[in-house]
Amino acid sequence: AQKVTQAQTEISVVEKEDVTLDCVYETRDTTYYLFWYKQPPSGELVFLIRRNSFDEQNEISGRYSWNFQKSTSSFNFTITASQVVDSAVYFCALSEFGSSNTGKLIFGQGTTLQVKP
Amino acid sequence: EAGVAQSPRYKIIEKRQSVAFWCNPISGHATLYWYQQILGQGPKLLIQFQNNGVVDDSQLPKDRFSAERLKGVDSTLKIQPAKLEDSAVYLCASSLDFGSYEQYFGPGTRLTVT
């Protein structure tokens, strides 16, 4: 069965600190996609990244970086030099590419990040 | 490019009443999703449309929830009658097609059932 676990419920850091949000997933499919979304206080989910299961290269986008490790079924997200505007709930999600391949997203519980000035 | 539009943004009703939510996806997006997000949890898919056909409604409580997507564009989600446990944010999302495409979410409708 597919499942996404974000063990960290809440994280609080001081501005300019680096912070890593953990994501562990379970799937039987060999082909799948992993996503990170940001949900600011306004409530709208904002797409951050999509990664397919065949691409284990780490990715960096500005202050954001993602570490995908199939061996540990993890897709962790690091914010470097955090800013107050990074305060939000972050969701990791899984989409299987098996026989159903509907694009349905399975979300984790979310990690609330608070960045204090 | 206009994003996904939803209305109303907030709704308060009493249990056993009915309520309807509306969603207008991004132009040209064939796939439309309705998610339910209970406070403190991640969104959970209720129903998925591909154009005006249902792809997945396995987690939709069909005894009280219904949804339609007429003409493959706008969609409405209805709850009748509402229960206290239906209090949640209802998110609409759309994607170019189903599969691996990223989904773009609307601002959501926050429903409170008293």
Side-chain angles (χ1 to χ4, degrees):
Chain A
Q2 63 272 48
K3 185 180 179 182
V4 176
T5 302
Q6 295 179 254
Q8 305 148 309
T9 305
E10 293 184 22
I11 301 176
S12 181
V13 299
V14 176
E15 208 169 20
K16 296 183 184 177
E17 283 185 12
D18 298 348
V19 58
T20 296
L21 310 181
D22 298 332
C23 173
V24 174
Y25 62 92
E26 295 175 32
T27 178
R28 293 177 183 169
D29 276 9
T30 55
T31 305
Y32 50 89
Y33 289 81
L34 297 165
F35 299 78
W36 276 94
Y37 280 86
K38 174 182 180 180
Q39 189 173 43
S42 61
E44 192 165 333
L45 280 159
V46 177
F47 167 81
L48 295 178
I49 190 171
R50 177 189 66 186
R51 174 67 70 199
N52 75 56
S53 53
F54 296 107
D55 184 1
E56 287 193 73
Q57 276 193 331
N58 292 332
E59 181 156 340
I60 298 174
S61 176
R63 296 183 298 107
Y64 295 170
S65 63
W66 291 269
N67 179 251
F68 176 30
Q69 291 193 347
K70 285 180 76 171
S71 60
T72 56
S73 297
S74 65
F75 186 44
N76 297 336
F77 172 31
T78 297
I79 302 175
T80 303
S82 60
Q83 299 177 1
V84 173
V85 292
D86 295 328
S87 297
V89 182
Y90 290 85
F91 290 96
C92 180
L94 165 71
S95 176
E96 294 178 325
F97 205 78
S99 56
S100 60
N101 186 24
T102 63
K104 167 179 158 181
L105 289 174
I106 307 297
F107 284 89
Q109 295 285 82
T111 297
T112 299
L113 174 65
Q114 183 183 36
V115 181
K116 299 177 182 177
Chain B
E1 179 183 85
V4 176
Q6 289 188 249
S7 67
R9 290 297 312 277
Y10 306 92
K11 191 74 177 178
I12 301 174
I13 62 172
E14 295 181 353
K15 59 183 179 184
R16 291 187 287 274
Q17 285 187 325
S18 63
V19 64
F21 313 128
W22 173 82
C23 172
N24 180 240
I26 293 173
S27 177
H29 281 194
T31 313
L32 186 146
Y33 311 79
W34 283 101
Y35 288 86
Q36 179 192 58
Q37 185 178 16
I38 292 172
L39 186 65
Q41 298 182 18
K44 180 186 80 172
L45 181 71
L46 290 176
I47 188 167
Q48 177 182 344
F49 292 95
Q50 180 70 7
N51 296 309
N52 59 354
V54 175
V55 173
D56 184 347
D57 63 356
S58 57
Q59 297 191 85
L60 186 74
K62 298 180 185 65
D63 57 333
R64 297 184 300 106
F65 286 64
S66 65
E68 61 182 8
R69 189 183 185 198
L70 298 175
K71 299 180 183 178
V73 182
D74 294 5
S75 176
T76 56
L77 176 69
K78 297 179 182 178
I79 307 175
Q80 182 179 13
K83 292 185 174 181
L84 296 176
E85 59 260 38
D86 298 332
S87 293
V89 175
Y90 291 86
L91 294 163
C92 179
S94 70
S95 64
L96 202 58
D97 204 342
F98 68 80
S100 64
Y101 294 93
E102 48 264 42
Q103 297 176 25
Y104 296 88
F105 285 78
T109 296
R110 182 177 298 277
L111 174 67
T112 302
V113 182
T114 62

